[in-house]
Amino acid sequence: MALPVNVAAAPAGPARTVSARHFVRLKLRVMGNNFRGQGWRVALFIGGALVGLWFAASGFFLFAAPGLADNGRYAVLIAAAGGGLLVLGWLLLPLVFFGVDETLDPARFALLPLPRRTLVIGLFAAALVSVPVLAMSVAVLGLVLTAWALGGWSAGLVAVVGVLAGLLLCVAASRAVTSAFASMLRSRRVRDLAAVLLAVAAALLGPLQIVGLAALRETDWTRLTGAATVLGWTPFGAPWTVGIDVAQGRVWAAPLKLLITVAAIVALLAWWSRSLESAMVGTASTGKAPAQRGATGGAVAQLFPRAAGWVRRDRFGALVAREARYWWRDARRRANLITIAVVGIFVPVLINVTGGDFAAEDGAGFTAAVGDSSPVVVTVSMLFVGVLASVTLANQFGFDGNAYAANVVAGVPGRVELRARMTAFSLYVLPMLAVVAVVLSALLGRPGWIGLMLGSLAATYGAGLAVNSFVSVLAAYSLPETSNPFAMNSGAGVAKGLLTLLSMIITTVIGVPMVVAAALLGNAWLWLALPVGAAYGLGAALLGAYLAGDVLDRRQPELLATVTPRR
């Protein structure tokens, strides 16, 4: 059993002080070993770094705009709003898309006599050595330029201190939140609470977008500037506005905002420290063992969860049962299901609701606000949901890791493997997609569009299953052996982002015929969309499993070597 991290053990040799630089050097060494002999991983890392630097340059000019124009009127607005979005992005994006770099798995330090403080500071320093941090550093230097141009070298130096504190805040927030959710998702008893918290966090994006669009339409910049001033006194905006405050004569505000930022960083690191130790020493059983089902059907029947109780008792059925059980119990997979459930509801609602006229003159309220929605717009929003739902399987073999060796040894045919994985995943996703269609049709007041929505979802989802079958076989990557479901090996976050983008583009192209049909066929498509979309999606999924299955049969050893985590 792993010992708590704060238990000191007497070393066999002379004591050596472990500092943050040792963790940084260890991370760089592990990164180098992971890239050795992996040309594709190096290429993805370089490509991701170039994309990150492009976004960094765009952010730099955005933040530097007030200084380059020598106009400080909107400097606080850009600094507070832009910086707040950066912090929010570091909080939510790792939970939804990219994960966090877990090159140094904290669990591997469990048996070492390292004080908790040393471990947290070391892992925090190692987390700062990454492409996202470098890209963000380039972007926020625009705030330094603005402060220097508006207030001279003193304001510029204060801005440097502020943006450095902001970088530390973003990384600390990201690690604390993902570690906390990882601890929560490990316990099946509190998984519903984790889902609710994540849903609330994602739900905040909707009101923020609606408020932002309304403010932009009214162009009431004075109100936005006032809101930015208030935001500047919160941890979201405090570190980014200190240089602007000095430039505009509010020198007294700079130390107070830096104090707010430091307090937030300390609180986040303390929070991360508690969840980190829990992850290292493991979690005890959170409840009684589940009651055994009756002996009816024998021991084999008990291996099949209720969701897969209908499948036949053969190799295909066993694979479906195993995958269905894993999708429900594995924290990493369950985190992806939560993402689908949350984003799948809010994105189509935002696309269709915010596309209408907020100031409905007839006083009809919400119905008038969404009255401008059309079958084409609805189909496009359903296209996005179907793409998002299927892209989770882009690295489906990476979830297994070295456990995939059992399938290789058993000689499972590739077509059977992929069909079984599609079926098990669909047991959870298809009900979610049905809920999306029902909820959106109710909000729009268009019950006759349910068939249109379901058909568009089925077609895009089936096409995505086909595309991601090839992606998962040809471009899989290993995931770290850790209890954190949001963890990524070094470079894997970049790989995940690029592969996700590629898969989504191809799936969208395949789903475009549904949008074209909605635009050309008019009311007739409301009746044809469901059967045509279901047939289109099912045919695409089966064809993808058939073709990708042959590729899988030839690449099983290489795939196993790719998804096996390196130690």
Side-chain angles (χ1 to χ4, degrees):
M1 178 179 177
L3 296 175
V5 298
N6 57 355
V7 176
R16 295 186 61 184
T17 303
V18 178
S19 62
R21 65 184 179 87
H22 292 93
F23 287 86
V24 174
R25 291 175 58 187
L26 180 59
K27 178 176 180 177
L28 294 176
R29 179 73 61 85
V30 174
M31 289 174 59
N33 292 338
N34 287 336
F35 289 142
R36 186 175 302 167
Q38 299 286 336
W40 65 272
R41 182 173 290 181
V42 175
L44 286 176
F45 182 81
I46 294 175
L50 294 177
V51 173
L53 290 178
W54 183 83
F55 280 107
S58 301
F60 174 85
F61 286 108
L62 175 64
F63 284 126
L68 295 175
D70 196 21
N71 185 351
R73 180 180 180 185
Y74 301 121
V76 174
L77 173 62
I78 293 177
L85 288 177
L86 287 177
V87 178
L88 190 63
W90 277 82
L91 282 171
L92 298 182
L93 288 182
L95 297 175
V96 179
F97 289 109
F98 296 102
V100 292
D101 184 3
E102 201 78 276
T103 302
L104 300 184
D105 185 359
R108 301 194 186 281
F109 298 91
L111 295 178
L112 298 179
L114 294 175
R116 187 196 308 180
R117 178 180 178 184
T118 300
L119 186 64
V120 170
I121 294 176
L123 292 176
F124 183 53
L128 295 172
V129 183
S130 65
V131 173
V133 174
L134 175 62
M136 183 176 171
S137 302
V138 174
V140 296
L141 285 178
L143 293 174
V144 177
L145 178 59
T146 293
W148 198 299
L150 298 178
W153 64 268
S154 58
L157 292 179
V158 174
V160 170
V161 177
V163 298
L164 289 177
L167 288 172
L168 298 178
L169 175 68
C170 288
V171 176
S174 175
R175 301 311 299 258
V177 170
T178 53
S179 183
F181 268 97
S183 301
M184 297 175 69
L185 288 174
R186 281 199 310 272
S187 170
R188 296 185 64 199
R189 176 168 294 184
V190 299
R191 64 176 180 268
D192 293 334
L193 176 60
V196 170
L197 292 177
L198 182 57
V200 171
L204 293 177
L205 297 177
L208 288 175
Q209 180 180 356
I210 294 175
V211 171
L213 290 175
L216 289 176
R217 285 189 180 129
E218 298 176 6
T219 62
D220 189 354
W221 298 105
T222 302
R223 185 177 64 179
L224 291 180
T225 303
T229 302
V230 175
L231 183 64
W233 285 98
T234 68
F236 286 92
W240 319 108
T241 56
V242 290
I244 308 300
D245 287 330
V246 173
Q248 296 180 350
R250 296 184 296 273
V251 180
W252 57 270
L256 296 178
K257 291 187 175 182
L258 289 176
L259 182 62
I260 292 173
T261 306
V262 171
I265 295 173
V266 172
L268 289 170
L269 291 179
W271 183 22
W272 181 29
S273 174
R274 296 186 60 182
S275 60
L276 183 65
E277 182 174 5
S278 174
M280 293 177 62
V281 301
T283 53
S285 174
T286 55
K288 299 180 180 179
Q292 295 293 329
R293 282 187 255 174
T296 304
V300 174
Q302 296 181 16
L303 299 177
F304 286 74
R306 290 186 176 89
W310 54 271
V311 297
R312 59 184 183 268
R313 274 30 175 191
D314 58 4
R315 182 162 49 187
F316 173 82
L319 288 171
V320 172
R322 188 200 68 170
E323 287 296 307
R325 192 178 296 275
Y326 283 0
W327 276 107
W328 184 251
R329 292 188 174 182
D330 181 31
R332 198 190 304 271
R333 303 192 191 208
R334 194 161 61 235
N336 284 274
L337 292 178
I338 293 174
T339 299
I340 296 173
V342 173
V343 182
I345 289 290
F346 285 97
V347 168
V349 170
L350 289 176
I351 291 177
N352 289 276
V353 170
T354 60
D357 182 10
F358 285 98
E361 296 181 359
D362 57 0
F366 185 77
T367 302
V370 299
D372 291 341
S373 185
S374 66
V376 175
V377 176
V378 169
T379 303
V380 171
S381 63
M382 296 297 98
L383 203 71
F384 177 84
V385 176
V387 168
L388 176 67
S390 60
V391 80
T392 303
L393 294 184
N395 190 39
Q396 55 185 321
F397 295 98
F399 293 129
D400 293 353
N402 53 15
Y404 178 62
N407 294 27
V408 177
V409 173
V412 178
R415 298 171 185 175
V416 176
E417 175 94 46
L418 292 177
R419 287 201 303 267
R421 289 175 180 267
M422 290 179 181
T423 302
F425 183 62
S426 299
L427 292 176
Y428 298 100
V429 174
L430 289 181
M432 295 183 191
L433 299 183
V435 171
V436 170
V438 172
V439 170
L440 184 58
S441 63
L443 291 177
L444 295 178
R446 302 278 189 172
W449 287 7
I450 293 182
L452 169 68
M453 299 176 189
L454 290 176
S456 303
L457 287 171
T460 310
Y461 175 66
L465 292 180
V467 172
N468 288 291
S469 295
F470 282 97
V471 174
S472 63
V473 173
L474 298 174
Y477 52 90
S478 64
L479 298 174
E481 294 180 314
T482 175
S483 57
N484 187 346
F486 310 105
M488 285 288 168
N489 288 321
S490 177
V494 176
K496 180 181 179 181
L498 294 180
L499 291 177
T500 298
L501 180 61
L502 176 63
S503 172
M504 294 178 70
I505 292 176
I506 297 176
T507 305
T508 301
V509 171
I510 298 177
V512 163
M514 301 297 293
V515 181
V516 175
L520 298 180
L521 299 182
N523 291 333
W525 184 242
L526 299 179
W527 299 94
L528 297 175
L530 180 56
V532 172
Y536 188 85
L538 180 61
L542 293 178
L543 180 61
Y546 182 85
L547 297 177
D550 291 340
V551 181
L552 178 58
D553 289 333
R554 298 191 299 269
R555 284 186 49 85
Q556 279 187 341
E558 293 84 355
L559 180 60
L560 175 61
T562 302
V563 300
T564 300
R566 292 191 174 189
R567 297 184 181 275

